[in-house]
Amino acid sequence: MATRGNIQHAGTPEDPLDAVFTASNVVTFVRLCLIPVFFFTLLAGHDLAACILFALAACTDWVDGQLARRTNTVSKLGRILDPCVDRLLMIFGVLGVYLVGRLPVWIIVVVLVRDLALIGGYGILLRRWRIRIDVVYAGKFCTTLFFVGFAALVLNYPPLQGLGLVNVSWLPGLNGDVYSWGIWFVYAGLLLGIYTTFHYLRAAISLLKSVQASVREG
């Protein structure tokens, strides 16, 4: 805990700390450093090692959040950095899997556009209007679906035979080609991602209207 004057101050979601070097932030920094290591390991053809690195970076997302809340060290930096690291891991995960030929380009475009829009929109709202949009549980679950799917695609084992329902190459799993089971988690993440994107958009518009109304009244 930190102090304000002579008063002990616990970092909570409602009243976060200004501290930088908290235990949870250190975990988040480590997660950030794992991203380029994972990316180049995957491109080098070491699927198992890349899968372990990706899974480690993804799983520790839960660790830093729990650590911050249980030790009352929720910080302003952590609340900004943690979702940004999630987005970066998502971006480099989907880009890496695409570059090794295990995802169609349309999924890459959807995921990258969504994540870049969330990062950019969050930054603009925070910098210009001091508006912060909290991550909802549905958004966390969506991220988990993507992480599981991408980890399976990185591992690329065991190979499965497609269902043969369609005759197009850009729908792995539904066509007759060999695919990884992780694609089903990616599909589920895409559907939930559409829902959460509209939720964040509605929340941002509502908060922005509230701030603008306060400015006019002030």
Side-chain angles (χ1 to χ4, degrees):
M1 291 189 295
T3 59
R4 288 181 179 173
N6 295 323
I7 301 175
Q8 291 289 327
H9 171 53
T12 64
E14 295 75 22
D15 191 13
L17 301 171
D18 292 323
V20 174
F21 293 105
T22 64
S24 57
N25 284 350
V26 170
V27 174
T28 305
F29 285 131
V30 171
R31 294 179 60 227
L32 180 61
C33 294
L34 284 175
I35 294 175
V37 179
F38 145 75
F39 187 72
F40 289 110
T41 301
L42 176 61
L43 295 185
H46 305 296
D47 290 348
L48 179 58
C51 180
I52 293 173
L53 289 169
F54 185 86
L56 184 61
C59 290
T60 47
D61 174 41
W62 180 84
V63 174
D64 58 8
Q66 287 295 313
L67 187 60
R69 285 187 288 271
R70 291 180 182 274
T71 59
N72 290 324
T73 55
V74 177
S75 67
K76 295 177 181 178
L77 175 63
R79 296 180 73 174
I80 296 173
L81 188 61
D82 183 50
C84 287
V85 172
D86 284 347
R87 301 274 73 80
L88 287 173
L89 181 59
M90 185 81 68
I91 290 171
F92 279 92
V94 71
L95 184 60
V97 175
Y98 167 71
L99 291 176
V100 295
R102 297 169 195 167
L103 268 185
V105 68
W106 70 269
I107 294 180
I108 311 300
V109 172
V110 171
V111 174
L112 290 183
V113 168
R114 175 184 179 270
D115 279 55
L116 290 174
L118 289 176
I119 292 175
Y122 185 90
I124 293 172
L125 289 173
L126 186 63
R127 183 172 183 177
R128 182 171 181 180
W129 301 101
R130 299 294 187 268
I131 293 175
R132 182 180 52 79
I133 308 296
D134 287 328
V135 177
V136 295
Y137 284 109
K140 283 287 186 182
F141 187 58
C142 171
T143 300
T144 300
L145 289 172
F146 277 129
F147 283 167
V148 173
F150 293 149
L153 290 169
V154 168
L155 183 61
N156 201 32
Y157 185 85
L160 302 175
Q161 190 64 43
L163 300 178
L165 300 178
V166 295
N167 190 28
V168 290
S169 61
W170 49 272
L171 286 175
L174 295 174
N175 57 30
D177 299 336
V178 174
Y179 73 102
S180 168
W181 55 270
I183 194 64
W184 300 114
F185 284 85
V186 174
Y187 287 153
L190 288 172
L191 293 175
L192 189 56
I194 294 173
Y195 164 76
T196 56
T197 299
F198 280 106
H199 169 83
Y200 290 136
L201 182 60
R202 289 196 302 268
I205 292 174
S206 176
L207 288 172
L208 185 57
K209 288 181 178 179
S210 178
V211 169
Q212 290 177 333
S214 297
V215 170
R216 287 194 297 269
E217 292 174 1

